[in-house]
Amino acid sequence: MKKNIILIGFMGSGKTVIAKELSLRLKYHYLDIDHVIEQKFKCTISDIFKTKGESFFREAETQELSELKSKSKNIISTGGGIILKPENRQLLKRIGFIVWLKASPEVIYQRLKHNKTRPLLEADDKLTEIQNLLSARIPFYQSLADLEIDTTDKTISEIVNLIAGCI
Ligand code: S3P
């Protein structure tokens, strides 16, 4: 069994809620990389993007992932873009068992259309932005995933069961 479980997937795919439930079920630590970065810089992700830029945030993601190399028994929820840097993809593979939570652009749009906390989805045409970002990212999610789960018609406990059954 690998030492940690990492949830990857697009914004709105349910990583945070699933990670919390799974950590209760398996009695692993719950860790949310976005949250750790917000605590570290005492700033929201939106403000980090605004004041320091996306590449600063991506570097912060890499630093947090590096910290996890020697850790075990964590359920790790990641930001949707963590798979963009090759360095991060290598780190993710070393850190644990990778679960990709999938959802269609339409489902993601329905889940996030009123959300104001995602700096990359501030465009007027959110659905198109989701489609564009998602199609660029799918190959990365796919190449990393040890397990893929379509979240569209599944309850939280069904998803947790599927993951728990695989480790
Ligand atoms: C991002 C996803 C966000 C957060 C940041 C950038 C992305 O996390 O890391 O806004 O590039 O997809 P969630 O996937 O938890 O929304």
Side-chain angles (χ1 to χ4, degrees):
M1 184 179 73
K2 292 209 185 181
K3 23 185 211 160
N4 301 291
I5 299 172
I6 308 158
L7 302 187
I8 62 168
F10 202 75
M11 297 172 257
S13 59
K15 292 163 292 184
T16 303
V17 67
I18 300 297
K20 283 183 182 164
E21 280 301 308
L22 193 60
S23 72
L24 293 174
R25 165 78 76 87
L26 298 177
K27 301 193 170 47
Y28 277 28
H29 274 298
Y30 161 73
L31 198 145
D32 182 315
I33 293 189
D34 279 353
H35 185 63
V36 173
I37 293 172
E38 289 185 326
Q39 303 274 70
K40 186 167 174 182
F41 294 100
K42 298 185 176 53
C43 198
T44 63
I45 302 288
S46 291
D47 285 338
I48 295 176
F49 268 70
K50 257 185 226 131
T51 60
K52 301 182 194 285
E54 181 172 351
S55 58
F56 178 92
F57 174 73
R58 299 294 173 208
E59 194 47 48
E61 288 184 310
T62 305
Q63 277 175 22
E64 292 316 316
L65 277 183
S66 299
E67 299 282 321
L68 293 169
K69 280 187 295 194
S70 56
K71 305 253 165 73
S72 57
K73 289 205 153 195
N74 291 287
I75 309 289
I76 303 161
S77 176
T78 59
I82 204 156
I83 42 74
L84 293 172
K85 277 175 74 180
E87 197 181 345
N88 290 358
R89 297 199 290 274
Q90 291 202 339
L91 283 165
L92 287 163
K93 279 194 205 152
R94 283 182 62 179
I95 291 166
F97 183 81
I98 302 177
V99 181
W100 172 25
L101 298 182
K102 302 199 272 186
S104 68
E106 293 71 24
V107 167
I108 291 166
Y109 175 72
Q110 288 308 322
R111 291 178 185 168
L112 295 183
K113 62 184 175 190
H114 300 304
N115 184 281
K116 300 264 184 261
T117 65
R118 273 38 178 235
L120 293 180
L121 295 184
E122 280 169 8
D124 289 337
D125 186 353
K126 262 192 202 192
L127 179 57
T128 303
E129 198 57 31
I130 291 168
Q131 282 163 337
N132 291 340
L133 286 171
L134 188 59
S135 56
R137 292 175 177 189
I138 281 175
F140 296 128
Y141 295 133
Q142 205 148 33
S143 71
L144 287 168
D146 295 306
L147 172 66
E148 301 180 8
I149 300 176
D150 187 341
T151 63
T152 309
D153 295 315
K154 293 188 182 67
T155 63
I156 294 170
S157 69
E158 282 169 338
I159 297 169
V160 167
N161 286 343
L162 281 172
I163 302 172
C166 275
I167 56 150

